[in-house]
């Protein structure tokens, strides 16, 4: 039995990790820590959740666990990663702290110096379907952002194939849980219901450099990217509609083959038949990324759907953990209800 | 042209008052004050709203207005009412500060001593359809709470007729704007969407004494009341389902006649044919209270729908203002869009 | 491995049965039949669902299954129940066809003669927590309606204790999936979103006689019942707020003890601490019925929440199947995601 | 007083026309016709609507009106347009029947021969802000589609300025009322709530040729267009996010000036300050098109919001009527509630 600890267990992402691990056949939860809600039962926050007591992170004993999940704001995760690694505990960080290889880029986008830059080289960027080989040995996994997961899984095959030519546009739409559990004006029910709003469109959102970094890994001269997030009036789910100008000569069928070859037998990538489109319903409450391909006007139009809290966060984190510890990749991740 | 000022113009209720007055043919807005958003344009908060600058309440000049609307939290309204009356300005208070005639009851339910108890006797409880005679002379109008408006307009006829016998149950359901604009965990989109929750059920909600006070006015020995509010996943609207045990011998048709006689030609009360039920759609975005009557098992079942921000707050406030100043009761209150 | 067949697999309830059984460790699906969608894959209707082919019910072989689930409209289920029982197959009927013991009552409420009245005496009304003893031998289980499940589980202890006195009022609110998958004006998104509507209030809804029948089983002289359903703008979940006038002398604590004794160790009944209220979030996407108790004005106020498609239909059906076949009662019913 | 008639008054668009005209100071409604709901009161369908009786279109007398609004499906509108014009009645057609100048294009996209091609040349495409000069003399106005209105008003200035270079991408999101009032699987509340779905993306939607036709009017060699509609889980509103590759040298400020010059003093176009984005809340329940400009990676990113039923249909139709009859352009179109 693998022993796990969760930091930040009271947030939406932390709660999902707890919920999955609570039923995971080969993992036990040693502690679920929350600085804001220490001493409360998790069911006070999430009435249908498992009966778990939230503890003060200061009292969480790293000695008794094999792995920790850091579901903390950026900046807050890095010190815990350092402490855990020192204690010989493997780390899956769901914050942005170890996603960018370049500390300077991190500082520019996140407005603060990185406090553990020495760990950046070894951190494995945990887009599972692209990182599978590195995961078994990884001590520190940087779990991808939710938007990047939906965009990168959709772009990987076409970028690697060198079929993209010209500026890519990712028009993404996310449910409100992506903005976190802390109440803000922008997450007030009355402001969100019946509304739909773009924000930080163009090249202004922090997930942009993370996406660009992977594109660069996959192609020496990757296309430019415009990334426009929008807030959807739904609790969860991301749908990205991605426009990729094509170099001449690619048919949608040929592209589809590339996708099929890139993701053969992937348990959590579902490639739709040519011309079908992904919707939130395809993916919400699952750990799947569902991808559809259409071509029009020499442009590949990808629709890519995930559950932002599962494949976009907690689900992918457990998927990564499964591979880090040599377990069945799908363990704990296949729902029977919901 | 009647000159008006609004305090608390940045909240949901204050904004609705501004929106209505902005198009009112006989009223101008001299100032719209907000302590939290002074110096900002109203459209920064409500992008489709009128182009009005929010001013600091300290700079709002009472000398230049004929009437003020107090859209403030309870406790904060009373001092402004005192100041306005001293300046010869008539007051429509949308807070709870002047609704209860008994200062002790106020202190018990609102947890603080009343700071202007000397004004309680003269304050007119502005349930328009019950207060019409007092309004033209009123200096100070206490605008009813949203739940009480939906419940009292539905109960008035049957209570006055002495047809009620036994404990009345008001099972009310309200949209989220009733909880105000300040973000709280309970108004977070993710917590509200897909959910439905009772709160303060039984005899625990502050609107209870306000309802009981009116029932006592209408009948020497009024029935007991159980009042159970619930939070609906909609932005606006209240529907109250009210169960009134009947003294023997009342048919639904006879009751319906009593209702028709009580509200003859009322522009903002709509009595549905026997057996039809009110829904939110009947009332939302209107200043109407829509009432349906059904009888089963010797019990009158009333369904009563209002828009909590209009007939339940800002709309009724303007309706009261119209009567206070001798204007057409419907002026400014009949929509052409929306 | 128990072999199962589902009739009506394309509806919301049928789909939930398929989804649960698809992951059930001791049950396999031999066929999923749908007359309207025969020949289509289930994922064409429910994109995230399991990969199951829908077959024509005429081709479904009763010889190869141990149990069938009838997720059909009332009237359509009875003939399949007859055929299945004749083939030696046990039947769990999710329609209303075998819920009422009295064929005349059935005819009156459902507007048609019962076609298999000879089976009514042996049918077990499958409110699991009340039917546990009869289930192991049952050939034919009548799965309760969704509203009755939420109301009866909440009422059982207080009724059996003889503590109720006077007319009970059940003010129930249901999500839209309760009205079925066939598109109607009343389930159109634009009509439902932002709305909230009572319907068939008083003593007019078909679930009334089903509730009354159980009350009569539990008490020789049961109280009258008023039952008022409302349509909530959410996809799933039922919350019933139930008002029970009490005979003198009952405290909420004493009542709570009765409830605790009635449901000791029940895996799918959760009794909240005194004064807490149930909400949809407590129950949705689980097989639980969550019950809260409050007392005010000599009235017990129960709040009772279920997922209408799970504990209110498919979940309870599988729970019943588990007990019929001697399996762990919770098998297949504990989610790890969602 | 101008006398008007509405055909198709029971649909969402027709109802909005009735609602606006019911309060229009210079227009009266002579008849509101509906073939599906003749003989019913409009409030049976829309409980908060005006008290108007729906008549059989066969009994609607064209002799008594000055103008008709055709809120009918494509194909059904053309014959009524012919009849009305013959009776000397001016026509505002909200269907697609007279939007495309080329009958062959119409036949290709709408799958049927045009039945009144002789009227195509004289029909004025009623994108008000582009058609103002032609409207006073127009006998027949083809009211633009909802998506085209949101896209064309946003594109007009940049296209006329010749600043666009390369394929334009319009990623549009619409509320469900855009799909009409007839219940379909795709408009079922349970299918829509919590979901978000692309459909007919690329170059497959019937609104594409209508947009292309206007682009060609505005520029001799217009860019290609990709148009991807998505269904939003909201009742009303369209937001289009539009990506326009720029010819070199255009700053966002210079573009903004072009927009300001194109729409000077327009009552129903609101240009946001540079960098601000339009949201549904900016436009819903108003007749405004709200436009925001951002530039990134040599691409102009436009956000354009309208209410699909108002500026995208009924509101623009009345705006056109006002100009056709020499009335104040805003008459009837400025809300005081809602």
């Amino acid at each position: 039995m693998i022993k796990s600890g969760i930091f930040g267990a009271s947030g939406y992402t932390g709660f999902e990790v707890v919920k999955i691990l609570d039923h995971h056949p080969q993992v036990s939860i040693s502690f679920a820590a929350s600085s804001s809600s220490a001493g409360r039962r998790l069911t006070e926050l999430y009435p249908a959740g498992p009966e778990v007591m939230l503890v003060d992170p200061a009292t969480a004993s790293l000695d008794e666990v094999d792995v920790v999940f850091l579901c903390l704001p950026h900046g807050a995760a890095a010190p815990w990663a350092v402490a855990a690694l020192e204690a010989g505990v493997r780390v899956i960080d769901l914050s942005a702290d170890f996603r960018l290889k370049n500390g300077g880029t991190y500082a520019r986008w996140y407005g603060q110096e990185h406090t553990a830059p020495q760990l950046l080289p070894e951190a494995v960027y945990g887009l599972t379907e692209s990182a599978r080989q590195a995961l078994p040995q990884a001590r520190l996994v940087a779990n991808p952002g939710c938007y990047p997961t939906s965009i990168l899984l959709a772009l990987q095959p076409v970028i690697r194939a060198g079929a993209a030519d010209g500026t890519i546009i990712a028009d993404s739409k996310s449910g409100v849980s992506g903005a976190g559990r802390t109440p803000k004006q922008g997450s007030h029910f009355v402001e969100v219901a019946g509304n739909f709003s773009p924000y930080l469109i163009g090249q202004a959102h922090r997930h942009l450099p993370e996406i660009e970094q992977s594109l660069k890994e996959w192609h020496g001269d990757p296309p430019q990217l415009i990334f426009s997030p929008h807030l959807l009036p739904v609790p969860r789910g991301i749908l990205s509609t991605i426009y990729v100008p094509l170099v001449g000569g690619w048919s949608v069928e040929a592209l589809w083959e590339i996708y099929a070859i890139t993701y053969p037998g992937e348990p959590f990538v579902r490639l739709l038949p040519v011309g079908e489109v992904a919707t939130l319903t395809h993916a919400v409450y699952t750990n799947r990324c569902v991808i559809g391909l259409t071509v029009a006007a020499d442009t590949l139009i990808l629709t890519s759907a995930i559950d932002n809290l599962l494949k976009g966060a907690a689900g992918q984190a457990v998927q990564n953990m499964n591979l880090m510890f040599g377990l069945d990749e799908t363990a704990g991740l296949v729902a029977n209800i919901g």
Side-chain angles (χ1 to χ4, degrees), chain A:
Chain A
M1 207 70 168
I2 290 156
K3 284 166 289 171
S4 71
I6 300 101
F7 290 91
S10 62
Y12 289 141
T13 297
F15 170 62
E16 293 289 329
V17 172
V18 173
K19 208 161 42 153
I20 297 170
L21 296 183
D22 186 56
H23 285 91
H24 195 294
Q26 290 145 300
V27 180
S28 66
I29 297 176
S30 297
F31 61 81
S34 162
S35 53
S36 61
S37 298
R40 302 180 69 186
R41 288 171 297 120
L42 194 58
T43 49
E44 294 179 53
L45 285 66
Y46 302 94
E51 278 298 345
V52 170
M53 182 63 65
L54 295 168
V55 301
D56 189 323
T59 71
S61 167
L62 291 169
D63 296 340
E64 56 189 61
V65 295
D66 303 305
V67 62
V68 291
F69 293 83
L70 307 181
C71 308
L72 300 167
H74 62 86
W80 282 109
V82 171
L85 292 176
E86 275 171 13
V89 176
R90 298 171 87 176
V91 174
I92 299 172
D93 177 23
L94 289 86
S95 88
D97 277 357
F98 298 99
R99 293 178 192 156
L100 299 174
K101 289 295 171 198
N102 186 309
T105 308
Y106 178 88
R108 206 157 51 248
W109 282 91
Y110 290 90
Q112 56 192 86
E113 287 305 305
H114 203 289
T115 61
Q118 73 283 2
L119 292 175
L120 291 176
E122 84 158 283
V124 171
Y125 185 71
L127 187 72
T128 322
E129 288 74 14
S130 171
R132 186 166 277 116
Q133 286 173 319
L135 287 167
Q137 298 78 37
R139 289 201 315 156
L140 170 56
V141 169
N143 218 56
C146 48
Y147 283 122
T149 297
S150 78
I151 294 168
L152 287 172
L153 287 176
L155 283 178
Q156 185 176 201
V158 66
I159 295 296
R160 285 194 190 269
D165 175 34
T167 302
I168 292 175
I169 290 166
D171 192 281
S172 295
K173 301 89 176 173
S174 171
V176 184
S177 59
R181 188 170 172 268
T182 305
K184 301 175 204 113
Q185 203 65 51
S187 58
H188 192 299
F189 182 86
V190 176
E191 318 276 318
V192 173
N195 195 6
F196 177 69
S197 18
Y199 65 100
L200 297 174
I201 59 176
Q203 298 187 315
H205 191 283
R206 284 168 171 168
H207 283 170
L208 183 76
E210 184 182 336
I211 304 171
E212 290 176 331
Q213 174 178 277
S214 282
L215 296 187
K216 208 167 296 174
E217 255 185 62
W218 295 335
H219 195 277
D221 182 21
Q224 270 203 101
L225 182 70
I226 289 177
F227 164 50
S228 296
H230 300 69
L231 187 69
L232 272 177
V234 303
R236 54 203 290 166
I238 288 180
L239 189 116
S240 293
T241 314
I242 312 172
Y243 302 86
V244 186
L246 293 168
V247 300
W250 280 95
S251 70
V252 71
E253 288 77 16
L255 287 162
W256 195 91
E257 286 301 326
I258 297 288
Y259 277 71
I261 288 164
T262 309
Y263 298 126
E266 280 294 350
F268 295 121
V269 175
R270 179 171 161 205
L271 186 58
L272 296 174
V274 166
E276 284 190 19
V277 293
T279 71
L280 285 195
T281 299
H282 281 85
V284 166
Y285 289 114
T286 81
N287 192 47
R288 279 196 288 260
C289 180
V290 180
I291 301 172
L293 280 73
T294 304
V295 165
D298 299 315
T299 302
L300 170 63
I301 310 179
L302 295 155
T303 51
S304 173
I306 61 168
D307 186 312
N308 60 306
L309 296 178
L310 296 175
K311 185 59 179 168
Q316 186 158 246
V318 172
Q319 187 184 358
N320 286 332
M321 183 205 68
N322 286 341
L323 292 174
M324 289 165 78
F325 288 89
L327 310 179
D328 173 3
E329 185 171 348
T330 67
L333 293 171
V334 183
N336 50 6
I337 292 192

